[in-house]
Amino acid sequence: MKFSLVSVAAAVSCASSFSSAFVVRPSSVNTFSSPVVLEASRNAQKIASRTKWAEKRGYGDGNVADAGETSAESGLMKNDDGLEFVRLVSKSGATAEVYLFGGVVTSYKDAEGTEFIAVRPDAKMDGSKPISGGLSHCWPQFGPGEIQQHGFARNVNWEVKSQTETTVELEMLPSDYTKEMWDKEFACRFTVDLADDELKTNMKVDNTGAADSFDFQAALHSYFAVSSLENLEIAGSFEGKEFLNKMVGENGEMQTESRSTITITEEYDRVYKGVNDPVLKDTGSGKALNIVNEAGWEDTVLWNPYGEEGMGFNSFVCVESVKFDPVTLDAGKSWEGKLTLKPGSL
């Protein structure tokens, strides 16, 4: 069954409609530490060629690091399959990697080298399909609906508008491909800012049209690395909140959460409206990760394909930052979704 974004909003109080709008299905993914396989070549001519290419495209100061250079370098790089990504490095030694394809953050390591972002082992890193993992965009639709599953933001190339050693701003504009599905005038910018002790992201949507408003949903389909599900607890304001348990019945069932801390011992697909303060506590790594949704992201989806070895179920959990109720954005107006990842000790 398909719903328009407007009809989805009207049906949110109905559990079956709520379920249909929130199908969170696994796609396909690579390695949990980092999907990047750095090229071995250190050929100076290759570096010069890439630098010249970057300067022509206006990427920062034209600094394109060869993928075979030391991992301490920041800059624009390519993986073995030719996909471009920007590597950020802070003075503390923290790092992050952001792919232009899909505008997705695929790695965030703190200064001690702990990886907090997961990419599934069955992921495709060649652009043949959306990257299954990372902080993946679902926009302008979350789940099924009038356009393709989860929208188009995760399977188009974003452009680098600016970058430094610790920040990158990506932009996605309408194209012939997007207009065939969704004929709206928009500009999406996604900024990633790596500090010594945290990672900040900002998704900004502008309605660049002259008169018409448009509706959209948004989500970061976020995969977080864990040492093991048995070592994981998810804290937050869950207790007493209603949620849709999509694993019950044909269309899911609305239930009330009795726990303040969530553990995963079975397949999970749960939609918690009004919960946006989860904290991942991993006794295996000795680390906690605060998922701080500062603006825009109002809801949380928990998903894990428990028992699916090919997806690497025991090494990640999806704790997704979501704006489920459709946003109506008037011409000339903006919406922002701000997420900060703050690691800490248990």
Side-chain angles (χ1 to χ4, degrees), residues 157-341:
N157 283 308
W158 295 54
E159 291 190 1
V160 175
K161 298 302 293 181
S162 64
Q163 70 179 80
T164 69
E165 291 185 349
T166 57
T167 64
V168 62
E169 180 185 23
L170 303 180
E171 183 179 64
M172 175 182 62
L173 298 175
S175 65
D176 291 341
Y177 171 72
T178 66
K179 287 180 179 179
E180 286 181 2
M181 291 177 276
W182 202 65
D183 190 16
K184 309 298 181 184
E185 295 298 323
F186 67 86
C188 286
R189 290 181 176 84
F190 186 58
T191 303
V192 181
D193 184 0
L194 177 66
D196 287 344
D197 57 356
E198 64 183 18
L199 184 78
K200 288 182 173 289
T201 71
N202 185 7
M203 170 75 164
K204 184 180 180 184
V205 180
D206 294 315
N207 182 341
T208 58
D212 295 336
S213 64
F214 58 71
D215 294 346
F216 67 87
Q217 289 172 300
L220 287 177
H221 196 326
S222 306
Y223 285 69
F224 295 106
V226 299
S227 62
S228 173
L229 290 179
E230 67 181 6
N231 296 330
L232 176 69
E233 292 184 343
I234 306 172
S237 57
F238 293 99
E239 188 173 7
K241 298 292 178 62
E242 284 196 334
F243 67 94
L244 176 66
N245 186 348
K246 294 183 61 186
M247 304 308 301
V248 178
E250 183 177 350
N251 295 311
E253 180 181 287
M254 295 303 297
Q255 300 177 348
T256 300
E257 184 58 73
S258 61
R259 299 169 296 172
S260 60
T261 301
I262 309 297
T263 56
I264 296 178
T265 57
E266 60 185 344
E267 187 173 354
Y268 256 59
D269 196 348
R270 300 186 177 192
V271 182
Y272 291 86
K273 288 201 67 187
V275 176
N276 68 349
D277 60 349
V279 181
L280 307 186
K281 298 182 178 182
D282 187 344
T283 58
S285 67
K287 299 287 182 72
L289 182 66
N290 291 270
I291 301 171
V292 183
N293 293 294
E294 299 174 270
W297 307 120
E298 298 176 353
D299 315 305
T300 294
V301 170
L302 300 183
W303 180 77
N304 180 268
Y306 196 87
E308 292 288 344
E309 296 285 355
M311 295 183 188
F313 80 96
N314 201 36
S315 296
F316 75 86
V317 63
C318 285
V319 182
E320 306 172 35
S321 299
V322 180
K323 180 64 178 79
F324 173 71
D325 291 333
V327 176
T328 298
L329 198 62
D330 293 332
K333 299 298 184 179
S334 301
W335 174 90
E336 288 183 289
K338 296 182 179 181
L339 166 69
T340 298
L341 302 180

Side-chain angles (χ1 to χ4, degrees), residues 2-272:
K2 292 186 177 181
F3 291 85
S4 68
L5 294 179
V6 173
S7 66
V8 167
V12 67
S13 62
C14 172
S16 61
S17 298
F18 196 65
S19 172
S20 299
F22 254 101
V23 176
V24 184
R25 293 183 181 142
S27 344
S28 299
V29 192
N30 213 334
T31 164
F32 295 117
S33 56
S34 171
V36 179
V37 181
L38 297 181
E39 296 172 320
S41 172
R42 296 175 182 268
N43 187 281
Q45 184 177 359
K46 189 175 182 181
I47 298 174
S49 175
R50 287 185 181 174
T51 302
K52 183 177 180 181
W53 170 86
E55 289 173 343
K56 286 182 177 180
R57 293 180 64 172
Y59 286 177
D61 59 2
N63 175 30
V64 180
D66 182 83
E69 292 299 295
T70 172
S71 61
E73 283 195 51
S74 61
L76 183 66
M77 302 181 182
K78 285 187 179 181
N79 71 3
D80 264 352
D81 293 311
L83 283 189
E84 299 169 323
F85 66 95
V86 174
R87 193 164 195 276
L88 308 177
V89 181
S90 78
K91 291 181 179 179
S92 71
T95 63
E97 291 168 1
V98 188
Y99 271 76
L100 277 58
F101 179 67
V104 54
V105 180
T106 57
S107 177
Y108 168 47
K109 294 181 180 180
D110 65 14
E112 297 176 344
T114 302
E115 176 64 87
F116 292 100
I117 304 293
V119 176
R120 283 180 7 208
D122 58 335
K124 300 296 183 184
M125 302 302 298
D126 58 4
S128 62
K129 63 187 304 182
I131 295 172
S132 298
L135 308 184
S136 178
H137 294 284
C138 299
W139 192 88
Q141 177 178 289
F142 186 33
E146 294 184 335
I147 62 176
Q148 67 187 27
Q149 173 84 359
H150 289 325
F152 49 74
R154 65 189 188 138
N155 64 345
V156 299
N157 283 308
W158 295 54
E159 291 190 1
V160 175
K161 298 302 293 181
S162 64
Q163 70 179 80
T164 69
E165 291 185 349
T166 57
T167 64
V168 62
E169 180 185 23
L170 303 180
E171 183 179 64
M172 175 182 62
L173 298 175
S175 65
D176 291 341
Y177 171 72
T178 66
K179 287 180 179 179
E180 286 181 2
M181 291 177 276
W182 202 65
D183 190 16
K184 309 298 181 184
E185 295 298 323
F186 67 86
C188 286
R189 290 181 176 84
F190 186 58
T191 303
V192 181
D193 184 0
L194 177 66
D196 287 344
D197 57 356
E198 64 183 18
L199 184 78
K200 288 182 173 289
T201 71
N202 185 7
M203 170 75 164
K204 184 180 180 184
V205 180
D206 294 315
N207 182 341
T208 58
D212 295 336
S213 64
F214 58 71
D215 294 346
F216 67 87
Q217 289 172 300
L220 287 177
H221 196 326
S222 306
Y223 285 69
F224 295 106
V226 299
S227 62
S228 173
L229 290 179
E230 67 181 6
N231 296 330
L232 176 69
E233 292 184 343
I234 306 172
S237 57
F238 293 99
E239 188 173 7
K241 298 292 178 62
E242 284 196 334
F243 67 94
L244 176 66
N245 186 348
K246 294 183 61 186
M247 304 308 301
V248 178
E250 183 177 350
N251 295 311
E253 180 181 287
M254 295 303 297
Q255 300 177 348
T256 300
E257 184 58 73
S258 61
R259 299 169 296 172
S260 60
T261 301
I262 309 297
T263 56
I264 296 178
T265 57
E266 60 185 344
E267 187 173 354
Y268 256 59
D269 196 348
R270 300 186 177 192
V271 182
Y272 291 86

